[in-house]
Amino acid sequence: MPPARHLLIPMAAADLPGCTQALQSLRLPRLERLLARLSLHGADTGRETDYEPPHERALARALGLPAPATPWAAWQTRSVGEPCAWVSPCHWQIGADHVVLLPPEHLGLSAEDGRALVDILGPWLAQDGMTLSYHEPTRWLVQDPLFAELQCAPLQRVVGRDVRPWLPRGPQSTRLQRLHSELQMLLYTHPWSEARAARGLPAVNALWFHGAGVLARLPEARPEPQMPMALLQAAQRQDWAAWAAAWQRLDASEVATLAQELAGGAAVELTLCGERSSLHFSNAHRSLGNKITSIFRRKRLSDLREQL
């Protein structure tokens, strides 16, 4: 039997005033019909303060990776036994009582910019025993034993928020803080930064470390769930009208496709994630009682909001 098709939806709902208001008029008929034909097969309950958001924990479990504290950098680069992390250049907007991380894409870094910055920072980090390598303009790989036990919050958790509650934690986190402060000073006066300022571009005044850890072995290959990001992106902007519109598009596309496959007898899975928790639904081992109950009980997204 082919593996179940899995649709994993980040920020399906949130216990926030804007989301609550958007849900009052949101109609998702295909999702309601799909939920009526699926059974709840698991819940992952967490808190808003957890470093790993529910959708990352759900994705890690689906891929056979440890969660929480998933070593995403090691898995995505297939690095076994090598403590590492992703590091992203970013801009911290500093106010009187907050330090907000702006989305890295707002920096407008090209591949050439990213490589130039790695060439600047790589030798500096090498003096402290770290190895830095370029992967994408706003995502580089850094390797060092300290990342084996470093707890890092993903960028998605921090963008648009005060960074201070989300700074890395671990036995050697003070070492990382020292390096970060030194690198900020290096970039502040560097000709590369002055050239950006002359072009009216935002300063790269910080780095964000994420996906840290070490992978003892690669897990057996598994199908990766489909994970649309439009809801999460709209929620990060606090644009609940865009969030509702994204849900309607999702209901007419990916959700409709999953419902069609279910109707055709395929095995399907659906995971709905919020800021704290997630709910996992499937049609596996669905009893006759579940099927009968679903005829009389409709499940609406608004009814599930408080559980996410």
Side-chain angles (χ1 to χ4, degrees):
M1 179 180 292
R5 180 184 176 90
H6 187 179
L7 178 60
L8 196 165
I9 303 179
M11 200 50 72
D15 194 12
L16 297 169
C19 185
T20 302
Q21 185 175 0
L23 281 169
Q24 291 176 357
S25 58
L26 184 60
R27 297 293 175 263
L28 303 171
R30 298 168 188 85
L31 178 67
E32 289 181 12
R33 290 196 294 270
L34 180 62
L35 287 171
R37 299 192 60 191
L38 299 176
S39 298
L40 181 64
H41 276 257
D44 174 18
T45 303
R47 299 172 298 177
E48 292 95 333
T49 54
D50 292 334
Y51 269 27
E52 295 83 3
H55 66 272
E56 282 205 1
R57 301 196 300 264
L59 178 61
R61 286 192 297 272
L63 296 173
L65 293 166
T70 305
W72 289 111
W75 181 75
Q76 288 162 336
T77 58
R78 301 302 189 263
S79 301
V80 175
E82 181 67 49
C84 58
W86 291 122
V87 57
S88 294
C90 53
H91 179 86
W92 286 4
Q93 192 173 64
I94 301 173
D97 59 354
H98 61 267
V99 181
V100 175
L101 188 150
L102 300 185
E105 55 268 24
H106 286 191
L107 293 171
L109 289 176
S110 65
E112 182 181 2
D113 293 330
R115 292 184 186 278
L117 201 47
V118 168
D119 289 342
I120 294 167
L121 301 181
W124 182 272
L125 289 174
Q127 295 177 26
D128 214 76
M130 293 187 178
T131 301
L132 184 68
S133 54
Y134 174 90
H135 274 249
E136 301 171 7
T138 58
R139 193 175 69 162
W140 318 322
L141 184 72
V142 60
Q143 297 168 296
D144 188 271
L146 81 83
F147 296 112
E149 300 182 75
L150 194 71
Q151 185 182 10
C152 297
L155 274 167
Q156 298 165 357
R157 206 60 153 159
V158 191
V159 166
R161 294 177 169 179
D162 191 333
V163 305
R164 290 172 294 182
W166 303 98
L167 294 173
R169 302 171 186 166
Q172 296 191 61
S173 59
T174 54
R175 177 187 164 207
L176 199 63
Q177 291 167 14
R178 171 183 60 80
L179 284 170
H180 190 263
S181 297
E182 292 174 356
L183 288 169
Q184 283 180 315
M185 294 176 63
L186 172 66
L187 288 175
Y188 183 72
T189 58
H190 198 280
W192 184 89
S193 299
E194 293 176 353
R196 280 182 63 82
R199 291 154 55 198
L201 295 172
V204 176
N205 62 4
L207 300 175
W208 194 260
F209 295 87
H210 51 105
V214 59
L215 199 59
R217 60 177 179 81
L218 290 175
E220 182 179 346
R222 299 184 185 183
E224 188 162 348
Q226 185 178 12
M227 191 166 72
M229 302 300 287
L231 295 176
L232 177 62
Q233 292 162 355
Q236 286 176 333
R237 301 191 304 270
Q238 296 289 299
D239 188 342
W240 298 107
W243 179 85
W247 242 129
Q248 290 178 320
R249 291 192 297 271
L250 191 60
D251 190 60
S253 53
E254 285 94 334
V255 171
T257 299
L258 198 69
Q260 289 172 358
E261 295 196 8
L262 175 62
V268 303
E269 299 177 58
L270 173 68
T271 303
L272 301 177
C273 305
E275 272 211 302
R276 301 185 303 264
S277 309
S278 66
L279 299 173
H280 180 71
F281 301 88
S282 83
N283 62 335
H285 311 297
R286 187 166 160 83
S287 68
L288 179 60
N290 289 143
K291 295 177 181 178
I292 294 173
T293 301
S294 68
I295 296 174
F296 302 100
R297 182 183 299 168
R298 297 181 67 187
K299 297 178 184 176
R300 294 183 173 87
L301 184 60
S302 57
D303 300 327
L304 303 174
R305 177 182 56 84
E306 292 184 0
Q307 300 176 59
L308 300 175

